[in-house]
Amino acid sequence: AASCATLPHPQISPPSSTITMMGQVQISGSHPGSPCCGSSKPEAPCRMGPMATPTHGHPSPVAAPCQCQATEAALPDSFSFETRCLHADGHNKPMNSHVWPIFQTSTFMFDSPDQGADLFAGRAEGHIYSRIANPTVQAFERIMANIEEAAGSVAFGSGMGAVSAATTPFLKAGDTILIGDTLYGCTVSLFTHFYPRFGINSVAVDTSVAENVERAFAEHPEAKYVYLESPANPTCKISDIAAISEIAHRHGALVGVDCTFVTPYFQRCLSLGADLVLHSVTKYIAGHGDVVGGVVSAKTKEQVSAVMAWRKDIGAIMSPHDAFLVMRGLRTLPIRMEQLNKNGLAVARFLRSHPAIVKVNHPVFEDFPNHDIAVRQMSGFGSTFSFEMKSYEAAKALLENVHLAVVAVSLGGVDTLIEHPASMTHAAVPEDMLPAGLTRSLVRISVGLENSDELIADLHRALDLVDQRK
């Protein structure tokens, strides 16, 4: 068994084309026989290596130069988000595979005892054990780091694994974490039920007003971290990430943002000033309702190493098969987000016009709080939002009468899901932390890729039935 006491922190695979050999199996980088592999055999210019992780804030990355002195470029020098989703892991995949293979193995062979010792001591690069690193998982991490414009990304077996890893390595007993007052229920439970056991204090702040964060630091100078969701689950509360990051950094604190609701396609949290950004990839990034996973991306290599070390020791890595599925979903993220955004807007506007609906929580509307911030820091709104009905009984009746929408938790998939937050996803939120708007009459909907007219017709029929019961 691997010794956790002596094992060094895993290192991020470099973005340039390199060769890592396990026995006779090539894991990544240039293919054997190319000039950079030491062969004298003439070869055609090699295929594109993995794209370089761009300098933070650069709008589109520059391809990493190939190691084999190829005379012609494989692709132009800069790439769009869409192209990066497809090619950021490079074309030099193992065994000349077009799609990244699933390395469904728990452990990796060493060429010799000396090589094993060197790997454990950190003197050599390679793979040891899939709890530490796995080639399929690393392929997904490379793509994610590229599209987030991050120093690196670290994949987890669940979104909550990502929440834990984005915060815990940076806190110790006696520290305070300032948390948004509107968060996913299990996130609230982690911060309020478990962190106090380890001497970490959690203070809820309405982060939709940046001045509240400034006041919280004045009251809690020991605060080391600000954690928020924007848009927040389930009310879509918007926080000014740039303003909050400036305040936190001035007080020597980190900022972590859960961006699950809109993905990096619509919002680049690191470019806005956050230090870490996380997603439940179960949702939009994988996008097909068949994976549970999470990912954390960080601005500096030191932060990435801290997150990786935490994952190694708690054993929360994503499985190779899940990483394969997430990469498959990620390839179509841009076109899915565009259509989901359109469908979400159509449904939100319909609901706002129906007499059975009291209020629709969607940042597209100009009267929604912080609408101006939303349109400044996001290029789209996703398709998950909530709406208020006239009573709990009306909300329950709606869920009982929809036909196309599926009554289930989760969000961001290809089909429409609808749920009741107060009794489902946010049931773990203590009463003293219930955010404004999280009432028993609130319904959350994640609009899917169905024909929007048919989806609206189904909701119209169900809402009319609810209205007739008054």
Side-chain angles (χ1 to χ4, degrees):
S3 169
C4 293
T6 60
L7 192 64
H9 291 176
Q11 299 298 311
I12 307 166
S13 294
S16 59
S17 298
T18 58
I19 296 178
T20 302
M21 301 293 288
M22 286 296 151
Q24 297 303 310
V25 180
Q26 181 186 347
I27 301 302
S28 63
S30 305
H31 52 88
S34 65
C36 57
C37 297
S39 170
S40 59
K41 180 181 177 181
E43 291 285 339
C46 80
R47 298 179 301 280
M48 183 184 73
M51 290 183 182
T53 300
T55 301
H56 176 68
H58 194 285
S60 57
V62 177
C66 181
Q67 299 289 305
C68 66
Q69 309 298 319
T71 56
E72 58 182 271
L75 286 176
D77 285 342
S78 62
F79 305 96
S80 65
F81 188 96
E82 293 83 354
T83 299
R84 288 152 63 187
C85 284
L86 294 170
H87 297 286
D89 56 337
H91 291 177
N92 292 333
K93 298 179 177 70
M95 314 298 290
N96 289 346
S97 174
H98 175 228
V99 175
W100 258 96
I102 303 172
F103 281 83
Q104 195 67 47
T105 181
S106 60
T107 194
F108 297 85
M109 297 183 296
F110 304 138
D111 291 334
S112 68
D114 287 341
Q115 187 205 22
D118 287 342
L119 288 168
F120 271 85
R123 294 187 295 268
E125 292 184 356
H127 292 85
I128 297 172
Y129 190 64
S130 279
R131 174 172 55 79
I132 301 166
N134 177 280
T136 312
V137 177
Q138 288 175 310
F140 162 60
E141 291 170 339
R142 281 195 297 273
I143 302 171
M144 203 68 209
N146 191 282
I147 64 175
E148 286 282 19
E149 300 178 5
S153 296
V154 188
F156 292 84
S158 72
M160 282 308 303
V163 173
S164 171
T167 53
T168 313
F170 306 100
L171 298 168
K172 64 182 185 305
D175 288 345
T176 290
I177 179 172
L178 305 179
I179 62 173
D181 67 349
T182 305
L183 300 173
Y184 172 54
C186 291
T187 303
V188 173
S189 179
L190 172 68
F191 293 152
T192 61
H193 295 163
F194 289 96
Y195 272 21
R197 301 182 188 182
F198 305 106
I200 300 170
N201 184 38
S202 299
V203 175
V205 180
D206 179 2
T207 57
S208 67
V209 180
E211 290 77 10
N212 291 342
V213 179
E214 186 74 74
R215 282 192 290 269
F217 273 109
E219 296 170 4
H220 300 278
E222 76 285 359
K224 296 295 190 292
Y225 204 111
V226 180
Y227 180 92
L228 60 99
E229 298 174 0
S230 188
N233 186 0
T235 61
C236 289
K237 177 182 284 189
I238 299 295
S239 297
D240 190 333
I241 297 170
I244 291 171
S245 297
E246 188 278 327
I247 293 168
H249 294 159
R250 186 158 27 87
H251 290 275
L254 297 174
V255 175
V257 180
D258 183 337
C259 188
T260 296
F261 263 36
V262 289
T263 80
Y265 184 70
F266 285 141
Q267 180 169 269
R268 308 289 177 81
C269 296
L270 299 183
S271 294
L272 291 167
D275 299 285
L276 299 103
V277 59
L278 66 99
H279 305 270
S280 171
V281 302
T282 310
K283 306 343 190 248
Y284 289 105
I285 290 177
H288 292 77
D290 51 10
V291 174
V292 173
V295 67
V296 177
S297 301
K299 187 175 290 186
T300 71
K301 291 182 179 180
E302 292 76 17
Q303 292 160 354
V304 174
S305 293
V307 173
M308 293 185 80
W310 175 259
R311 183 186 69 180
K312 170 180 69 69
D313 289 347
I314 65 169
I317 193 169
M318 179 181 284
S319 77
H321 187 250
D322 283 349
F324 172 85
L325 292 174
V326 175
M327 279 192 285
R328 185 184 64 177
L330 189 56
R331 308 298 189 187
T332 60
L333 178 66
I335 59 172
R336 284 189 290 107
M337 292 305 294
E338 287 288 346
Q339 189 60 46
L340 288 167
N341 187 61
K342 291 177 184 177
N343 284 4
L345 293 176
V347 171
R349 289 176 176 132
F350 157 71
L351 290 172
R352 188 160 152 123
S353 70
H354 197 282
I357 304 300
V358 175
K359 178 184 179 183
V360 176
N361 297 316
H362 196 298
V364 71
F365 300 119
E366 292 186 3
D367 58 354
F368 186 80
N370 285 351
H371 164 80
D372 58 328
I373 296 172
V375 297
R376 184 173 74 238
Q377 69 186 20
M378 299 191 300
S379 59
F381 305 101
S383 68
T384 301
F385 60 95
S386 58
F387 54 93
E388 190 88 20
M389 300 197 66
K390 295 177 180 178
S391 65
Y392 165 71
E393 290 73 23
K396 182 172 182 287
L398 173 63
L399 268 63
E400 290 171 341
N401 283 281
V402 289
H403 289 165
L404 284 179
V406 176
V407 180
V409 298
S410 199
L411 57 99
V414 291
D415 59 333
T416 298
L417 303 182
I418 193 167
E419 62 110 7
H420 182 246
S423 63
M424 297 179 187
T425 53
H426 291 69
V429 178
E431 287 190 12
D432 63 344
M433 281 195 63
L434 286 176
L438 182 53
T439 67
R440 286 178 58 78
S441 56
L442 190 75
V443 174
R444 190 187 76 183
I445 188 168
S446 173
V447 179
L449 293 174
E450 298 92 346
N451 179 286
S452 60
D453 291 336
E454 294 171 347
L455 185 57
I456 288 170
D458 182 49
L459 289 166
H460 204 320
R461 177 195 54 77
L463 286 168
D464 288 347
L465 288 173
V466 171
D467 228 19
Q468 292 168 15
R469 293 186 180 187
K470 293 188 300 182

